[in-house]
Amino acid sequence: MGVQGLASLLERHRRIYLDVEFRMNRLVVDGNNLLHLLYFNSGLDQNHGGEYAAFEDLTERFVTALRSCGVAPYVVLDGGTDTSDKKLETVTKRALERIEKVHRAAKTGESKNIMPALAKQVFQQTLVRLEVPVAQCFAEADREVAALATEWKCPVLSNDSDFYVFDLPAGLLPISHFHWQDVKQKGSQRYIPCKRYYASCFCIYFNIEQQLLPAFAALSGNDYVQVRGIRWTEFAPAGSETPSRLEGLLRWLRDFQQPQEALKASLGLMGEPSKNSEAEVMQKLDLGMEEYRLPASSLKRFFVDGGGASVASGGRGKKHVLSHSGQSKSYPKALAVVPDWTRLPLTQARLTPHVLDVLLLQRIKLSIAVEHTDQPSTNRTSRPLRQVMYGLLLGGRRWLRVEERDRAGLDLTFIPVAPTFTGAVQRLGLGTLHQANPAERLQVLLEALGVTEAALSRLPPQLRLPVAVTCYWLQRAQPPPDLTALKALLVVMMGGVSPRHKAALQHQCCLQKLDVLVSQVFNQWQVCLKDSIHLNQLLDFPLPDPEVARLYQGTLVHQLVHRMRTGGRLKNFLKSDWASRGQYNIALSVVHQFLTRRAPTSSEPRGRRPPADLTAELHLALLYEDEETEDRSAVRMQEEVLLDNQLSVKTRYRTKDRVNRCNKPQLSRKQECRGWGIL
């Protein structure tokens, strides 16, 4: 966020930067800034829900480039919302701007820099796999990043303009000038060509005292304070073709030695405010300056002790407690409601920062997907999952409600949501949740998703949570997914698309207008998966954390739906090996059993009924999948019999008919003409 216009000012005065050959050093990385710039600058599709496999590959190539030059990255991520609400006005304004961007992206197909729902999970999981040290702050990461870099005397990597204000001993490496894709070699050493910024160089160039930089940031108007009524362009250098607000402010600051002098003098430029308003303005300016005063690093010990290299990838890790001398020292009173056992997982990014927002503020900001604003927000679909999480977090305070900030049309809405305290949730307390019996924690998750452990047991561990989420999605999504959407999703999830078809399908999708209804359906699946992952984290991974990059590729799944709806056959795009199809068929059978068991009743709310037509179509699809093939291998026949045995008793009575039709392709074609063949 930072100081608006400062990065553009520096682009006009590039002599401030130093050209460097960066190698053999530590590097503290502003994780959220890197995440956004890596994705948005890569040209990856944003409007179909994310290209996660490609983003995983991009993140890995970035880390590989650093390590090839002897650079050791330490990634620091933002955490919960600032409890002081001093940025609430700015955050609300930007949320409204985001809603407008989402609407335009859905209507026009333009890229508006909307981060796909699961990109952060992919980013974090890739860093974990590559054993990159990662830490998640309890609030915004800027001060922690600057404090750590100051103590280690190494540079910061970020494009956030706040880092132009901090006095960093080893300076800032702006990401926009960090050419990691163009690694050079000099002798036996490799290096990354980049530019380095020092605050001292900035002050020498503009002829101001360095201690005035925080006052410059506050008076220019940042996320914490908005200064109104001063036209800084009046002080811009004479002869400027386009007078700059920031250059005018910098020229004005030359007459001052200390920040407080400048702040008091600025009051005289605001007209004639009352004494009360003067005090209020000074308080806001002081608050804006306070953000650039660095505390001692609370993450140095964490990284040195090795916690940063062990961000859990799913499963029960070490249970030692992050002491109150760690991150918590910045927020001692507020964090009294945060259990000790959660502090290490929060710092390791094993828990979503939503945990802090719910415990400290009883308020969370929900992400907004690329969707037509005439449609309801996709976040409604997964609200029952979040309610279970709220129940676990607020179990001792049952009267509380959690305010969810979400989209309603083109507006922001704030919805009070009641926690869920039913079922297995009632038996678990937050203080001892990490010590609860694994079977109880699993029961909470399965009850929330509405599936059984027995049904999931036939799936590989990594696919159990995604398939369970798919069952939940089929029950809750509005509009309900049809069989085409379900099959396209499962095929991509199982990695069943032939490599030779994948690139062509993705390219063709980018040339077509976004189908907003298809997008709505898959956006709902993604948000269900994300909230299920968060609930699974809080319950300490009763199911393995899924590898998100393997589960969804937006342009591919959208194009498969389009092809099938325009007469294409799914089988034409699949891999030739029957092993991957066997896994796909097992997933279909699990979903089929769920829909059969969850047959709609007249007393059920509409949003909770599985679509009856989908249940029937899926039953037929399982019976007649790929029946046109005349020449079947013995292996394929054995797999079909095995799959039939996994279906209902009624289905097993149809096995004889299936075999007969395989041996009599003419009969199969006649039945297809009568409408029996599905896809």
Side-chain angles (χ1 to χ4, degrees), residues 35-48:
L35 160 67
H36 284 77
L37 291 173
L38 268 185
Y39 198 99
F40 295 149
N41 294 344
S42 65
L44 293 176
D45 181 84
Q46 301 169 19
N47 294 346
H48 294 84

Side-chain angles (χ1 to χ4, degrees), residues 398-414:
R398 294 172 177 249
W399 64 90
L400 292 176
R401 297 293 180 268
V402 177
E403 186 178 75
E404 294 187 343
R405 191 199 73 185
D406 199 3
R407 177 187 67 78
L410 283 168
D411 295 321
L412 273 181
T413 183
F414 300 87

Side-chain angles (χ1 to χ4, degrees), residues 4 215 262 272 281 388 395 403 415 489 539 561 617 661 671:
Q4 187 175 4
E272 298 183 0
V281 170
V388 173
E403 186 178 75
I415 306 165
L489 177 64
L539 293 165
V561 170
E617 287 182 9
R661 289 188 305 107
Q671 288 178 330

Side-chain angles (χ1 to χ4, degrees), residues 35-329:
L35 160 67
H36 284 77
L37 291 173
L38 268 185
Y39 198 99
F40 295 149
N41 294 344
S42 65
L44 293 176
D45 181 84
Q46 301 169 19
N47 294 346
H48 294 84
E51 292 300 320
Y52 298 130
F55 184 51
E56 177 189 47
D57 178 67
L58 180 68
T59 304
E60 183 167 353
R61 285 191 281 118
F62 175 81
V63 173
T64 300
L66 295 186
R67 287 176 170 169
S68 73
C69 300
V71 176
Y74 292 80
V75 178
V76 184
L77 299 167
D78 286 337
T81 303
D82 183 6
T83 56
S84 71
D85 276 347
K86 56 193 173 189
K87 291 176 61 174
L88 186 59
E89 180 182 348
T90 301
V91 169
T92 301
K93 177 184 174 183
R94 294 189 178 182
L96 287 166
E97 290 172 354
R98 180 184 171 91
I99 291 173
E100 180 62 36
K101 288 180 181 179
V102 159
H103 180 66
R104 291 204 303 271
K107 286 189 70 175
T108 67
E110 301 173 76
S111 292
K112 294 295 182 181
N113 287 354
I114 306 300
M115 185 61 66
L118 297 167
K120 186 176 181 180
Q121 272 82 3
V122 173
F123 182 66
Q124 291 180 212
Q125 287 183 344
T126 307
L127 296 177
V128 169
R129 179 172 56 79
L130 299 174
E131 298 183 346
V132 175
V134 178
Q136 180 175 264
C137 296
F138 286 161
E140 278 203 349
D142 290 1
R143 296 177 76 205
E144 292 290 350
V145 167
L148 181 62
T150 298
E151 293 204 20
W152 276 349
K153 293 182 173 54
C154 70
V156 167
L157 182 69
S158 178
N159 257 25
D160 191 327
S161 57
D162 277 331
F163 291 106
Y164 291 110
V165 180
F166 290 116
D167 183 16
L168 301 171
L172 168 72
L173 305 182
I175 295 177
S176 53
H177 295 292
F178 190 74
H179 303 295
W180 64 271
Q181 293 174 307
D182 189 26
V183 172
K184 305 289 187 183
Q185 185 140 358
K186 180 182 288 186
S188 61
Q189 291 189 320
R190 295 162 67 86
Y191 66 88
I192 296 173
C194 59
K195 294 185 182 296
R196 192 192 302 253
Y197 164 91
Y198 288 101
S200 57
C201 294
F202 179 89
C203 293
I204 291 170
Y205 185 89
F206 286 106
N207 193 24
I208 67 169
E209 297 294 328
Q210 191 162 334
Q211 61 265 28
L212 290 174
L213 270 182
F216 161 71
L219 288 169
S220 67
N222 57 21
D223 292 334
Y224 301 97
V225 56
Q226 300 297 323
V227 178
R228 296 179 175 89
I230 304 178
R231 296 186 61 185
W232 294 117
T233 53
E234 295 177 359
F235 301 96
S240 300
E241 293 184 11
T242 53
S244 164
R245 176 180 63 90
L246 293 183
E247 288 187 75
L249 171 57
L250 286 165
R251 193 172 184 84
W252 180 80
L253 284 171
R254 290 179 182 180
D255 296 332
F256 302 95
Q257 297 293 316
Q258 296 299 326
Q260 288 301 319
E261 292 179 60
L263 296 185
K264 289 178 182 177
S266 70
L267 296 178
L269 302 175
M270 298 180 191
E272 298 183 0
S274 66
K275 289 185 178 180
N276 289 337
S277 61
E278 280 187 8
E280 183 181 350
V281 170
M282 283 297 294
Q283 184 180 17
K284 287 183 177 180
L285 290 171
D286 282 334
L287 192 62
M289 288 181 56
E290 180 65 29
E291 291 304 308
Y292 303 104
R293 298 186 183 109
L294 294 181
S297 173
S298 62
L299 293 177
K300 180 179 177 181
R301 176 183 166 190
F302 172 73
F303 281 127
V304 170
D305 288 347
S310 60
V311 186
S313 58
R316 298 176 70 88
K318 292 187 280 186
K319 293 298 172 190
H320 61 278
V321 173
L322 183 67
S323 71
H324 290 275
S325 63
Q327 284 198 61
S328 58
K329 67 182 179 182

Side-chain angles (χ1 to χ4, degrees), residues 3 171 221 266 268 305 329 341 370 380 389 552 564 636 676:
V3 182
S266 70
D305 288 347
K329 67 182 179 182
W341 72 264
V370 174
R380 292 187 184 184
M389 187 172 79
Y552 186 88
M564 286 190 282
R636 173 61 171 161
W676 289 99

